[in-house]
Amino acid sequence: MSEWQLRKGIAVTTTEYGGVLLDEKDGTYWQLNECGTLVVTAIAEGRSPSDAVEQLLAEYEVERAEVEADVAELTDQLLKAKIVTRAGAAR
């Protein structure tokens, strides 16, 4: 089991432009670009943000440092919004 998990009640839907997260409890939704959707999908599938970094590097011509910083920023935002959780983290 991954250290990272999508919170229960969060649905992920891919779209032509990226993806949408829906909190099924209160109807709140977030729109993500293609790269953000890749990160969230990785977490939903039980993989880590580091796995998403590697996938982004394989799919796009980008610098590792930039991808790592962007993924870290997104995962921080997801944690603060309580969309994802980390094992051992206060809930």
Side-chain angles (χ1 to χ4, degrees):
M1 178 174 234
S2 174
E3 173 183 351
W4 292 84
Q5 294 181 348
L6 198 60
R7 180 174 53 82
K8 288 185 180 191
I10 299 290
V12 181
T13 303
T14 57
T15 68
E16 183 178 346
Y17 304 103
V20 175
L21 302 177
L22 172 66
D23 186 332
E24 295 171 341
K25 273 177 130 175
D26 66 12
T28 305
Y29 70 94
W30 299 267
Q31 189 167 354
L32 297 170
N33 65 20
E34 192 173 321
C35 295
T37 302
L38 187 148
V39 173
V40 170
T41 301
I43 292 170
E45 292 173 349
R47 295 182 288 132
S48 71
S50 297
D51 294 332
V53 166
E54 295 305 320
Q55 187 176 348
L56 287 165
L57 289 170
E59 292 184 22
Y60 298 96
E61 202 168 301
V62 290
E63 294 293 322
R64 176 175 291 276
E66 182 178 346
V67 172
E68 288 174 342
D70 289 348
V71 169
E73 181 180 346
L74 175 60
T75 54
D76 284 346
Q77 291 173 357
L78 294 171
L79 283 166
K80 287 177 186 170
K82 298 181 180 170
I83 295 169
V84 299
T85 60
R86 289 185 74 173
R91 298 184 204 265

